[in-house]
Amino acid sequence: MALQRAPHTPFSPTDAPASLMRHISEHISEVDVSSIEVNGTNLYYELRGAGPTVLFISGATGDAGHWTEVGEVLADEYSVLTYDRRANSRSPRPENWDAAPLDEQADDAAELLTALGVAPVVAYGNSGGATILTSLALRHPSLLRGAIFHEPPYLAVTSAADEVTATLQRLIDEGMAKGGPRMATELFLRWVGGDETFESLDPELRDRMLGNGEVLFGLEFAGAMAYLPAPEQLAEVKLPCVVASGIDNRDPSSTHHWFYEASKWLADALHAPLVETPGAHVPQATHARPLAETLRPILGKLAASPQVGY
């Protein structure tokens, strides 16, 4: 199903400067919205823009809507593929599905790319999406031209492991006691992104996110936080990689400096550059346009990389 984002009047490219053309193209980009059966599940996905394909993988709550604004900005130069992860939002929960191994999430992404015929792509994963991308890069590298890992939650390698573990357990327990998975998800999102960010979310997106709490805490969370690739595995990755972390998390006194530590660990293990993005852990929600423009040249370099043979 194709949805036109805004009506427009045809005109010649010579009628407007390049800057205006880019602005207009952002607002008239078509979005193909559909679902597809892959890997034993039905995945909702959105594909917008034209050019080299970039896949965005969401972390907690797994919704394609996290990337709408970023995708609209990049759609003038890239085909942007986003999807609701298995059993999240508009991707229905498979029958008798009662475990969420992280490698299965990576396999879902791999089969989505294969079924749509868009591989190899550049992929960007945020938070838990970066751990899924790690598995994808390790197990399906031929489907990728490059990978960008934004603040993977590799808590075990940081200096705050015990403190953060205790804080998360307290938040989840408090939320479950007060209002079940929805409240636990709200408290988690407020902790990881801030109250202002939570309140500013699109209401429909926020409602879907809260509705994913049962899957998040009942099936996904423990496995996602426990996932940690071995340094020797990462050292074997030949794929061009970039690791990213929010500039607001660089300061050791910041609440979520541990994300910066985890990012630095991964960058060192991959022998990859560490780049800073605007904001903190969820720049797609707080600094969508600056994030997109920060990524634009990085995506261009990765998309032009030769496909690595394995």
Side-chain angles (χ1 to χ4, degrees):
M1 177 174 64
L3 302 179
Q4 190 74 24
R5 294 198 62 78
H8 69 287
T9 301
F11 62 94
S12 167
T14 59
D15 294 339
S19 60
L20 179 58
M21 288 291 292
R22 172 172 289 185
H23 173 77
I24 292 173
S25 69
E26 291 170 1
H27 291 277
I28 64 174
S29 60
E30 291 185 349
V31 185
D32 293 327
V33 178
S34 190
S35 297
I36 191 168
E37 290 283 340
V38 295
N39 199 32
T41 193
N42 186 282
L43 295 182
Y44 167 95
Y45 71 90
E46 298 178 0
L47 185 61
R48 51 169 51 81
T53 301
V54 180
L55 170 69
F56 285 91
I57 305 176
S58 299
T61 72
D63 196 291
H66 293 300
W67 308 105
T68 299
E69 189 174 351
V70 172
E72 288 175 349
V73 175
L74 292 173
D76 65 318
E77 193 172 354
Y78 299 99
S79 296
V80 178
L81 175 61
T82 59
Y83 68 107
D84 291 351
R85 291 193 291 98
R86 172 187 292 250
N88 284 281
S89 297
R90 295 152 293 192
S91 293
R93 181 170 177 169
E95 188 176 357
N96 299 321
W97 184 70
D98 56 5
L102 192 128
D103 286 345
E104 180 181 63
Q105 296 279 343
D107 292 345
D108 287 351
E111 293 208 18
L112 176 64
L113 296 176
T114 301
L116 295 179
V118 295
V121 306
V122 178
Y124 176 104
N126 167 251
S127 192
T131 62
I132 294 170
L133 179 55
T134 305
S135 176
L136 184 64
L138 288 171
R139 299 171 61 251
H140 302 283
S142 65
L143 300 179
L144 302 175
R145 285 201 183 275
I148 306 173
F149 308 85
H150 187 274
E151 296 200 337
Y154 294 139
L155 181 58
V157 303
T158 74
S159 62
D162 291 341
E163 178 186 354
V164 172
T165 298
T167 298
L168 284 171
Q169 191 61 60
R170 177 181 57 79
L171 281 175
I172 295 168
D173 289 347
E174 178 184 347
M176 290 294 185
K178 287 183 175 180
R182 285 184 69 91
M183 179 56 68
T185 303
E186 177 175 338
L187 294 182
F188 171 76
L189 294 173
R190 288 181 182 275
W191 173 77
V192 80
D195 292 336
E196 184 177 349
T197 300
F198 179 82
E199 297 295 344
S200 70
L201 291 169
D202 173 80
E204 291 185 7
L205 171 61
R206 183 171 58 225
D207 187 61
R208 291 197 304 268
M209 292 167 68
L210 296 179
N212 294 333
E214 182 177 348
V215 169
L216 173 61
F217 294 118
L219 295 174
E220 294 183 347
F221 196 76
M225 294 300 292
Y227 181 85
L228 184 66
E232 53 268 27
Q233 290 179 287
L234 297 171
E236 294 298 317
V237 173
K238 301 174 185 176
L239 189 73
C241 295
V242 173
V243 182
S245 189
I247 192 170
D248 291 353
N249 288 336
R250 184 208 302 162
D251 189 332
S253 66
S254 61
T255 301
H256 296 303
H257 179 66
W258 67 276
F259 282 125
Y260 201 96
E261 291 182 335
S263 300
K264 180 66 165 57
W265 176 85
L266 181 61
D268 289 345
L270 289 170
H271 305 289
L274 177 66
V275 302
E276 293 182 338
T277 50
H281 190 57
V282 286
Q284 64 271 19
T286 60
H287 298 77
R289 183 172 291 272
L291 172 65
E293 296 303 345
T294 298
L295 293 177
R296 188 184 293 276
I298 300 172
L299 294 172
K301 290 180 180 178
L302 294 176
S305 299
Q307 189 173 5
V308 175
Y310 281 81

